[in-house]
């Protein structure tokens, strides 16, 4: 028995060593806390509060403007001259300008028929419209299918051109630029652009082109996106909420106040002369659409957002596709800001206040501060105050401001008000990915020019969703497993446990729920659940 009792020394030694390590850690923590951790956390909190106020003021400002526009503002048809184009007995169809419709695509097997069919169905004199399919597909089967589809419409009398390139230089910007170089394109006055999953209504050109014809100062008419698969899963509902706010508020405010907003890359009509004067398409960032819009605006051109003109399209329905899209949408604007801020400041063609709007509101607050403050404040600094009670967060910053911002953001999609809590958790979770992309853009780091085409499912959406439910998921580090999200989730969970055991802030419920959200994102299970309408 004495022999066996000696084995009890191992656990006692282990426990003693563990206690020693814990005690040493607490001593080191106590020595660092007051002189280093507390001052650094207070500085971080001050910066976060400053950014929160910037975002809050911007949201309130836009809300006030949009209310005034809705109550007192003139409709686009009254702000700008608009008259329908009609046939003339003497001039015939020549009263209609020649319009080029560009459809850039890349391996769009599931949606190419939808976009080409919708473009060929546009109501416009057949001798005054050219459909141009810009196919950068690398899959020979897809290329053959797209070419056959173009030939099918051509046999029906549609003036449709199928164009390919030897390379993918410049990606979408390169394809659009090359498309405008063809001899037939030079005969066109305007160009309408639709991504491969966009389906314009037949009267799209009839409603948009007259604004450009009768108002020579206008360079762009942008339509609103509406989503065919918003109810596909919880993730698509969250996307709908964010994008509806972007179109109903941000684009509307920019159009009404400064006649400037970022071109959305599709579902818009450009005056080709404005594109040429601005320097044409450039591929220096992953947001070639925003790049062109800013350069055209600096030349004095005006833009019109037409919220009543809607074009159907598809939201990313897989988390992987959504992450790639958000990386491009967050990294690109930050990188463009870095490249263009000095050019905007030096510009002499636009007013001082328009420069302030573009630099401060459009770029800094919406494209940079919004991402960084959401992650750093709500996912890093706020949880850290649980571990450092000497630093207190004002209630107006932790409760009132985020509550008001959330309500203002939700106005764009009233049918999803009951999903507000999920939207908050989802946006906080995605803020890590967006912040990382924003910093990559600002610093021009490794993935700054990464371009991954967003996967679209088209008519195969429901079938593929059903098939995926039965497929066994493949776990690949970096694809399905996202270590940064898992690490952030672990940090939030630890802070929640500490708050529950020792803290006085009572943030533990939020910390636990947000930690679970990060764990779900970390394991790539976002989009699994379908919400009730």
């Amino acid at each position: 028995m004495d022999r066996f009792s000696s084995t009890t020394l191992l656990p006692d030694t282990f426990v003693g060593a563990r206690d020693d390590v814990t005690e040493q850690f607490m001593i080191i923590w106590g020595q660092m806390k007051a002189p280093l951790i507390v001052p650094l956390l207070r500085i971080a909190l001050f910066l976060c509060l400053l950014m929160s106020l910037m975002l809050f003021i911007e949201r309130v400002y836009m809300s006030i403007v949009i209310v005034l526009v809705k109550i007192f503002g003139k409709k686009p048809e009254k702000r700008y001259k608009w008259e329908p184009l009609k046939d003339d007995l003497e001039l015939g169809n020549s009263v209609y300008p020649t319009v080029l419709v560009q459809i850039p695509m890349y391996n769009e097997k599931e949606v190419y028929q939808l976009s080409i069919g919708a473009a060929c169905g546009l109501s416009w004199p057949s001798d005054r419209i050219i459909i141009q399919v810009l196919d950068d597909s690398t899959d020979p089967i897809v290329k053959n299918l797209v070419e056959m589809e173009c030939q099918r419409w051509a046999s029906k009398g549609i003036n449709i051109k199928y164009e390919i390139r030897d390379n993918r230089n410049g990606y979408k910007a390169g394809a659009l630029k090359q498309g405008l170089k063809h001899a037939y394109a030079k005969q066109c006055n305007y160009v309408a652009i639709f991504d491969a999953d966009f389906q314009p209504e037949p009267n799209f050109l009839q409603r948009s082109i007259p604004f450009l014809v009768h108002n020579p100062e206008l360079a762009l008419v942008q339509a609103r996106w509406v989503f065919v698969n918003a109810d596909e899963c919880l993730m698509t509902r969250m996307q709908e909420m964010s994008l509806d706010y972007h179109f109903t508020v941000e684009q509307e405010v920019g159009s009404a106040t400064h006649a400037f907003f970022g071109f959305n890359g599709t579902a818009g009509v450009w005056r080709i002369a404005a594109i040429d004067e601005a320097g044409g398409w450039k591929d220096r960032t992953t947001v070639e659409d925003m790049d062109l819009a800013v350069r055209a605006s600096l030349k004095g051109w005006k833009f019109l957002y037409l919220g009543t003109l809607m074009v159907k399209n598809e939201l990313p329905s897989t988390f992987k596709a959504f992450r790639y899209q958000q990386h491009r949408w967050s990294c690109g604007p930050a990188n463009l800001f870095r490249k263009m801020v000095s050019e905007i400041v030096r510009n002499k063609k636009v007013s001082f206040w328009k420069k302030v709007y573009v630099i401060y509101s459009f770029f800094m607050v919406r494209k940079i501060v919004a991402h960084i403050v959401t992650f750093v404040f709500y996912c890093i600094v706020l949880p850290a105050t649980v571990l450092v009670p000497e630093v207190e967060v004002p209630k107006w910053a932790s409760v009132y401001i985020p509550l008001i911002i959330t309500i203002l953001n939700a106005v764009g999609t009233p049918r999803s008000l009951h999903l507000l809590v999920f939207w908050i958790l989802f946006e906080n979770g995605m803020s890590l990915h967006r912040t990382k992309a924003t910093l990559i853009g600002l610093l021009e780091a490794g993935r700054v020019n990464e371009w991954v085409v967003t996967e679209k499912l088209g008519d195969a959406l429901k079938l593929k969703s059903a098939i995926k439910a039965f497929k066994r998921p493949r776990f690949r580090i970096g694809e399905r497993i996202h270590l940064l999200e898992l690490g952030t989730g672990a940090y939030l969970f630890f802070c929640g446990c500490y708050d529950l055991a020792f803290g006085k802030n009572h943030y533990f419920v939020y910390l636990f729920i947000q930690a679970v959200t990060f764990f779900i994102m970390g394991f790539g299970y976002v989009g699994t659940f379908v919400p009730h309408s």
Side-chain angles (χ1 to χ4, degrees), residues 161-236:
K161 308 290 185 181
Y162 175 72
E163 305 290 356
I164 58 174
R165 299 189 294 164
D166 296 331
N167 54 67
R168 289 190 67 216
N169 292 344
Y171 302 110
K172 181 180 176 181
L176 295 171
K177 184 177 182 179
Q178 185 66 31
L180 291 176
K181 290 182 179 180
H182 294 280
Y184 61 83
K186 296 183 183 298
Q187 301 171 8
C188 300
N189 309 102
Y190 308 103
V191 56
I193 302 170
F194 301 102
D195 282 351
D197 58 315
F198 278 70
Q199 304 167 54
E201 296 295 329
N203 66 350
F204 180 89
L205 296 179
Q206 293 176 333
R207 295 184 60 187
S208 57
I209 293 293
F211 282 107
L212 295 167
V213 170
H214 299 304
N215 302 277
E217 73 275 20
L218 282 180
L220 166 69
V221 175
Q222 172 71 59
R224 179 180 173 178
W225 301 1
V226 291
F227 312 105
V228 298
N229 65 329
D231 293 325
E232 177 66 19
C233 62
L234 188 59
M235 186 183 72
T236 53

Side-chain angles (χ1 to χ4, degrees), residues 415-471:
R415 77 185 189 102
S416 297
L417 284 173
H418 62 292
L419 298 174
L420 264 182
V421 173
F422 294 102
W423 181 79
I424 294 169
L425 297 171
F426 179 75
E427 286 295 297
N428 286 354
M430 283 305 301
S431 66
L432 166 59
H433 188 64
R434 291 169 180 152
T435 297
K436 182 177 70 171
T438 300
L439 295 177
I440 288 173
L442 286 173
L443 302 175
E444 288 203 326
R447 294 175 59 198
V448 67
N449 289 317
E450 180 184 67
W451 181 284
V452 179
V453 176
T454 306
E455 178 188 20
K456 297 134 189 142
L457 300 180
D459 288 338
L461 188 65
K462 293 182 179 179
L463 176 62
K464 286 201 170 187
S465 297
I467 292 174
K468 285 183 179 181
F470 292 100
K471 283 186 177 181

